[in-house]
C-alpha cells in the first residue's frame, strides 16, 4: 500500500542489491493507483462471479478467475517471504483470499460443476493472473496520465 515501499526500500535494496534502481523507484504506488487497481480487479472478479452464479459454477471463465484469485493470494504470501516480513495484501490473503478461494472451489467441485481438465484450469489460471495484474496496472497508469493531461488542459494557466 502507499508508503510501504518508501518505508522498506532501503531494507529491500540491502536484501536484493542486484535489482535495478528503476524497480525500487516504482515500488511505492500512489493511493489512487492502488484504489483504482483494486477496484478494477474487483470488477473482473465480479463479472466472473456473475457468470459463475448464472451457470451454477460451470462457467470456465469463473473457474479460471477463481483459481487466479487464489494464486494471487499465494503471490502476496510469496512477496512476504521474499521481503522477509509484512507486505501489503499478506493479511487479507490469509484471512480472506485463500480461505474464500478454497471454500468456493470446494463448493464448485462438490457440485459437479467442474467439467474441464483440472490441470488445464490450473495452468490457465496461473498463466493468466500475471498478465491480468500487469494489464490492470498499465490501464491505471494510462488512466492517471490521461486525467493529468485533461486537468492540465483545463487549467487556464496552460492555454
Amino acid at each position: 500500500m502507499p508508503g510501504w515501499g518508501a518505508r522498506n526500500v532501503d531494507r529491500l535494496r540491502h536484501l536484493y542489491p542486484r535489482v535495478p534502481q528503476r524497480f525500487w523507484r516504482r515500488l511505492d504506488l500512489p493511493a489512487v493507483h492502488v484504489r483504482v487497481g483494486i477496484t478494477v480487479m474487483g470488477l473482473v472478479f465480479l463479472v466472473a462471479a456473475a457468470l459463475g452464479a448464472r451457470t451454477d459454477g460451470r462457467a470456465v471463465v469463473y473457474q479460471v478467475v477463481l483459481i487466479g484469485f487464489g494464486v494471487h493470494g499465494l503471490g502476496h504470501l510469496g512477496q512476504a517471504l521474499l521481503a522477509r516480513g509484512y507486505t501489503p495484501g499478506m493479511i487479507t490473503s490469509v484471512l480472506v483470499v485463500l480461505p474464500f478461494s478454497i471454500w468456493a472451489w470446494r463448493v464448485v467441485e462438490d457440485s459437479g460443476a467442474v467439467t474441464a481438465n483440472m490441470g488445464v484450469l490450473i495452468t490457465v489460471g496461473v498463466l493468466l493472473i500475471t498478465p491480468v495484474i500487469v494489464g490492470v496496472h498499465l490501464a491505471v497508469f494510462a488512466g492517471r496520465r490521461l486525467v493529468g493531461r485533461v486537468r492540465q488542459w483545463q487549467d487556464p494557466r496552460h492555454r
Side-chain angles (χ1 to χ4, degrees), residues 47-132:
V47 169
L51 283 170
R54 265 187 58 220
T55 63
D56 292 324
R58 284 177 168 58
V60 173
V61 170
Y62 170 68
Q63 294 171 7
V64 167
V65 169
L66 184 57
I67 290 168
F69 187 63
V71 169
H72 128 269
L74 293 174
H76 280 293
L77 296 183
Q79 290 170 344
L81 288 172
L82 288 172
R84 298 181 189 165
Y86 170 81
T87 56
M90 180 184 87
I91 293 171
T92 305
S93 289
V94 170
L95 296 179
V96 178
V97 174
L98 295 173
F100 171 79
S101 297
I102 292 165
W103 170 81
W105 190 257
R106 284 185 180 156
V107 169
V108 168
E109 204 169 40
D110 290 349
S111 73
V114 181
T115 56
N117 179 296
M118 197 59 186
V120 171
L121 287 173
I122 291 170
T123 301
V124 172
V126 168
L127 291 177
L128 284 183
I129 191 62
T130 300
V132 168

